[in-house]
mmCIF file of all heavy atoms in Angstrom:
data_model
loop_
_atom_site.group_PDB
_atom_site.id
_atom_site.type_symbol
_atom_site.label_atom_id
_atom_site.label_comp_id
_atom_site.label_asym_id
_atom_site.label_seq_id
_atom_site.Cartn_x
_atom_site.Cartn_y
_atom_site.Cartn_z
ATOM 1 N N HIS A 315 109.608 123.248 106.705
ATOM 2 C CA HIS A 315 110.145 122.640 105.475
ATOM 3 C C HIS A 315 111.442 121.941 105.818
ATOM 4 O O HIS A 315 112.114 122.159 106.742
ATOM 5 C CB HIS A 315 110.343 123.688 104.383
ATOM 6 C CG HIS A 315 111.364 124.724 104.810
ATOM 7 N ND1 HIS A 315 110.916 125.822 105.575
ATOM 8 C CD2 HIS A 315 112.679 124.875 104.699
ATOM 9 C CE1 HIS A 315 112.000 126.596 105.826
ATOM 10 N NE2 HIS A 315 113.035 125.909 105.315
ATOM 11 N N ARG A 316 111.755 121.037 104.780
ATOM 12 C CA ARG A 316 113.051 120.429 104.812
ATOM 13 C C ARG A 316 113.644 120.732 103.394
ATOM 14 O O ARG A 316 112.862 121.001 102.442
ATOM 15 C CB ARG A 316 112.943 118.830 104.960
ATOM 16 C CG ARG A 316 112.099 118.567 106.225
ATOM 17 C CD ARG A 316 111.972 117.085 106.367
ATOM 18 N NE ARG A 316 111.210 116.408 105.414
ATOM 19 C CZ ARG A 316 110.906 115.120 105.316
ATOM 20 N NH1 ARG A 316 111.461 114.385 106.301
ATOM 21 N NH2 ARG A 316 110.215 114.580 104.339
ATOM 22 N N VAL A 317 114.943 120.716 103.266
ATOM 23 C CA VAL A 317 115.549 120.982 101.960
ATOM 24 C C VAL A 317 116.430 119.925 101.634
ATOM 25 O O VAL A 317 117.329 119.481 102.415
ATOM 26 C CB VAL A 317 116.366 122.390 102.095
ATOM 27 C CG1 VAL A 317 116.853 122.845 100.748
ATOM 28 C CG2 VAL A 317 115.595 123.487 102.684
ATOM 29 N N PHE A 318 116.297 119.458 100.387
ATOM 30 C CA PHE A 318 117.075 118.372 99.822
ATOM 31 C C PHE A 318 117.832 118.773 98.588
ATOM 32 O O PHE A 318 117.241 119.387 97.790
ATOM 33 C CB PHE A 318 116.194 117.214 99.500
ATOM 34 C CG PHE A 318 115.532 116.570 100.672
ATOM 35 C CD1 PHE A 318 114.293 117.047 101.137
ATOM 36 C CD2 PHE A 318 116.045 115.404 101.386
ATOM 37 C CE1 PHE A 318 113.655 116.443 102.291
ATOM 38 C CE2 PHE A 318 115.425 114.808 102.471
ATOM 39 C CZ PHE A 318 114.206 115.343 102.900
ATOM 40 N N ALA A 319 119.125 118.545 98.591
ATOM 41 C CA ALA A 319 119.948 118.712 97.369
ATOM 42 C C ALA A 319 119.544 117.563 96.431
ATOM 43 O O ALA A 319 119.575 116.463 96.819
ATOM 44 C CB ALA A 319 121.404 118.719 97.671
ATOM 45 N N MET A 320 119.198 117.914 95.139
ATOM 46 C CA MET A 320 118.644 116.930 94.188
ATOM 47 C C MET A 320 119.408 117.124 92.892
ATOM 48 O O MET A 320 118.924 117.822 91.988
ATOM 49 C CB MET A 320 117.214 116.976 94.091
ATOM 50 C CG MET A 320 116.420 115.818 93.637
ATOM 51 S SD MET A 320 114.684 116.076 93.927
ATOM 52 C CE MET A 320 114.433 115.011 95.381
ATOM 53 N N GLY A 321 120.609 116.559 92.767
ATOM 54 C CA GLY A 321 121.413 116.899 91.563
ATOM 55 C C GLY A 321 121.727 118.422 91.592
ATOM 56 O O GLY A 321 122.084 118.920 92.579
ATOM 57 N N ASP A 322 121.461 119.009 90.466
ATOM 58 C CA ASP A 322 121.628 120.520 90.309
ATOM 59 C C ASP A 322 120.412 121.254 90.940
ATOM 60 O O ASP A 322 120.439 122.519 90.986
ATOM 61 C CB ASP A 322 121.771 120.931 88.912
ATOM 62 C CG ASP A 322 123.211 120.621 88.345
ATOM 63 O OD1 ASP A 322 124.077 120.329 89.167
ATOM 64 O OD2 ASP A 322 123.446 120.635 87.129
ATOM 65 N N ASP A 323 119.392 120.591 91.343
ATOM 66 C CA ASP A 323 118.202 121.231 91.858
ATOM 67 C C ASP A 323 118.094 121.185 93.289
ATOM 68 O O ASP A 323 118.780 120.387 93.968
ATOM 69 C CB ASP A 323 116.935 120.567 91.234
ATOM 70 C CG ASP A 323 117.006 120.436 89.700
ATOM 71 O OD1 ASP A 323 117.530 121.303 89.107
ATOM 72 O OD2 ASP A 323 116.496 119.361 89.187
ATOM 73 N N VAL A 324 117.201 122.081 93.930
ATOM 74 C CA VAL A 324 117.046 122.009 95.334
ATOM 75 C C VAL A 324 115.574 121.769 95.576
ATOM 76 O O VAL A 324 114.683 122.535 94.980
ATOM 77 C CB VAL A 324 117.465 123.395 95.930
ATOM 78 C CG1 VAL A 324 117.056 123.451 97.412
ATOM 79 C CG2 VAL A 324 118.918 123.636 95.732
ATOM 80 N N LEU A 325 115.236 120.848 96.405
ATOM 81 C CA LEU A 325 113.809 120.560 96.679
ATOM 82 C C LEU A 325 113.387 121.032 98.011
ATOM 83 O O LEU A 325 114.060 120.624 99.045
ATOM 84 C CB LEU A 325 113.595 118.965 96.635
ATOM 85 C CG LEU A 325 112.128 118.582 96.929
ATOM 86 C CD1 LEU A 325 111.356 118.608 95.579
ATOM 87 C CD2 LEU A 325 112.012 117.212 97.564
ATOM 88 N N PHE A 326 112.490 121.866 98.064
ATOM 89 C CA PHE A 326 111.814 122.299 99.314
ATOM 90 C C PHE A 326 110.559 121.353 99.535
ATOM 91 O O PHE A 326 109.664 121.204 98.679
ATOM 92 C CB PHE A 326 111.250 123.703 99.186
ATOM 93 C CG PHE A 326 112.296 124.753 99.505
ATOM 94 C CD1 PHE A 326 113.180 125.109 98.399
ATOM 95 C CD2 PHE A 326 112.480 125.359 100.730
ATOM 96 C CE1 PHE A 326 114.182 126.041 98.568
ATOM 97 C CE2 PHE A 326 113.489 126.342 100.880
ATOM 98 C CZ PHE A 326 114.338 126.619 99.841
ATOM 99 N N ASP A 327 110.694 120.656 100.636
ATOM 100 C CA ASP A 327 109.544 119.700 101.013
ATOM 101 C C ASP A 327 108.810 120.289 102.192
ATOM 102 O O ASP A 327 109.337 120.273 103.368
ATOM 103 C CB ASP A 327 110.202 118.282 101.275
ATOM 104 C CG ASP A 327 109.218 117.325 101.903
ATOM 105 O OD1 ASP A 327 108.062 117.292 101.233
ATOM 106 O OD2 ASP A 327 109.476 116.659 102.855
#
Side-chain angles (χ1 to χ4, degrees):
H315 59 275
R316 308 179 296 177
V317 186
F318 294 84
M320 202 166 257
D322 283 343
D323 308 324
V324 174
L325 181 86
F326 279 81
D327 175 43

